[in-house]
């Protein structure tokens, strides 16, 4: 009876790992032969240790959870950036306007992977946007992105902050998550482009089609941009929806 319950639980956990992918295609992709997978999927068998280790390594899950349902599916102490970087090593980075949500092979769809660009939004005197490219991907929980940010993963990008003009709100080297779908300047933190330079600033919409651009650091002056007259020199790239900070 115990072995039967264990097999049933294993099948359910396997279904979680496979997600929407076709079962045999999933098995072939991670290197499980058809006979072994048939035994697990249709006959209720439990895999040998070597096969279980292969599934765990490819799917990023914990072996005790896979075999016995013990503990969490994944080690929550794994840093999101490291997980994304390991999963993406050797892959081509996708642009901001990619048409599909990207999930690296072997990683369950509870995570979405957001491109981390080699770009700094200056909280000071501007940083050139030239040479924009994704260095790696960072993992965020898909549920959090869709239900708390109310955002689509395809609209998100990760960059870093440079400078001290937003000190007290954002600090130098902070990591920020930008929703590029929110480009209508309103009240909040936004990444903007002025000429060839990009900044992260506090914006406030003013009557008459103008935007006030403010810094948190009082050493930096507030200025106003006339949207009608700015033309191609001014652009709102997106709104800052999250930030992360390294301690020490």
């Amino acid at each position: 009876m115990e072995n039967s319950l264990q097999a049933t639980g294993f099948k359910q956990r396997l279904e979680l790992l496979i997600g929407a992918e076709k079962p045999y295609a999933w098995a072939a992709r991670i290197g499980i032969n058809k006979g072994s997978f048939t035994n697990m999927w249709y006959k209720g068998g439990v895999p040998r240790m070597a096969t279980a280790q292969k599934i765990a390594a490819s799917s990023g899950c914990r072996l005790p959870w896979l075999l016995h349902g013990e503990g969490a599916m994944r080690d929550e102490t794994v840093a999101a950036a490291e997980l994304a970087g390991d999963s993406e090593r050797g892959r081509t980075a996708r642009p901001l306007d990619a048409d599909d949500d990207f999930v690296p092979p072997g990683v369950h769809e509870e995570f979405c992977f957001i491109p981390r660009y080699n770009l700094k939004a200056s909280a000071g005197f501007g940083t050139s946007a030239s040479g924009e490219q994704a260095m790696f991907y960072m993992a965020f929980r898909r549920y959090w992105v869709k239900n708390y940010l109310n955002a689509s993963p395809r609209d998100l990008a990760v960059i870093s902050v440079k400078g001290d003009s937003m000190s007290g709100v954002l600090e130098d080297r902070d990591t920020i998550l930008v929703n590029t779908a929110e480009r209508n300047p309103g009240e909040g933190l936004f990444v903007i482009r002025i000429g060839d330079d990009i900044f992260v600033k506090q914006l406030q919409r003013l009557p008459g089609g103008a935007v006030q651009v403010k810094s948190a650091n009082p050493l930096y002056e507030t200025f106003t941009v006339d949207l009608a007259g700015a033309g191609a020199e001014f652009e709102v790239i997106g709104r800052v929806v999250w930030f992360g900070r390294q301690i020490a």
Side-chain angles (χ1 to χ4, degrees):
M1 181 67 174
E2 183 179 349
N3 289 337
S4 177
L5 289 174
Q6 182 183 21
T8 301
F10 175 80
K11 172 72 179 298
Q12 293 172 342
R13 293 188 289 277
L14 195 61
E15 289 174 345
L16 283 176
L17 296 179
I18 294 173
E21 191 171 354
K22 293 182 178 180
Y24 278 107
W26 176 88
R29 176 170 55 73
I30 68 172
I32 300 176
N33 65 56
K34 188 174 182 179
S36 295
F37 184 75
T38 297
N39 182 57
M40 291 184 288
W41 191 250
Y42 290 106
K43 299 181 180 180
V46 177
R48 295 180 179 179
M49 182 57 70
T51 301
Q53 289 172 336
K54 181 181 293 186
I55 293 172
S58 300
S59 303
C61 69
R62 296 173 59 254
L63 193 61
W65 174 86
L66 176 66
L67 290 176
H68 309 295
E70 296 175 357
M73 178 190 290
R74 293 184 173 83
D75 185 352
E76 298 297 334
T77 64
V78 175
E82 292 177 358
L83 176 60
D86 290 344
S87 300
E88 267 305 284
R89 189 170 292 122
R91 290 190 161 265
T92 302
R94 297 196 176 193
L96 290 181
D97 58 352
D99 291 331
D100 55 334
D101 299 350
F102 179 67
V103 180
V107 179
H108 189 255
E109 290 183 355
E110 71 175 289
F111 292 101
C112 55
F113 287 77
I114 310 303
R116 167 65 162 90
Y117 282 88
N118 185 26
L119 188 63
K120 291 177 169 53
S122 179
F125 294 106
T127 301
S128 175
S130 62
E132 181 181 329
Q133 59 180 348
M135 298 185 296
F136 52 82
Y137 289 77
M138 293 182 66
F140 292 85
R141 290 193 180 277
R142 189 176 297 273
Y143 182 88
W144 178 76
V145 167
K146 293 191 174 181
N147 293 278
Y148 287 86
L149 296 185
N150 295 314
S152 170
R154 73 189 67 179
D155 294 325
L156 301 177
V158 179
I159 60 176
S160 62
V161 173
K162 181 179 176 62
D164 65 351
S165 78
M166 293 303 295
S167 184
V169 177
L170 295 174
E171 305 296 341
D172 186 47
R173 298 195 303 168
D174 279 356
T175 298
I176 56 177
L177 182 65
V178 182
N179 186 350
T180 64
E182 297 192 41
R183 306 184 68 171
N184 184 31
E187 183 73 29
L189 284 174
F190 287 83
V191 175
I192 60 175
R193 178 183 61 80
I194 301 176
D196 292 329
D197 295 332
I198 65 167
F199 302 82
V200 56
K201 297 290 183 183
Q202 181 83 31
L203 299 187
Q204 181 180 353
R205 193 68 178 262
L206 301 177
V211 172
Q212 188 177 69
V213 182
K214 299 184 291 185
S215 299
N217 187 334
L219 296 176
Y220 293 81
E221 293 186 3
T222 297
F223 59 93
T224 301
V225 174
D226 180 4
L227 295 179
E233 287 299 301
F234 180 85
E235 178 187 11
V236 177
I237 295 174
R239 188 169 70 89
V240 178
V241 294
W242 172 90
F243 79 93
R245 179 172 300 159
Q246 180 176 335
I247 299 176

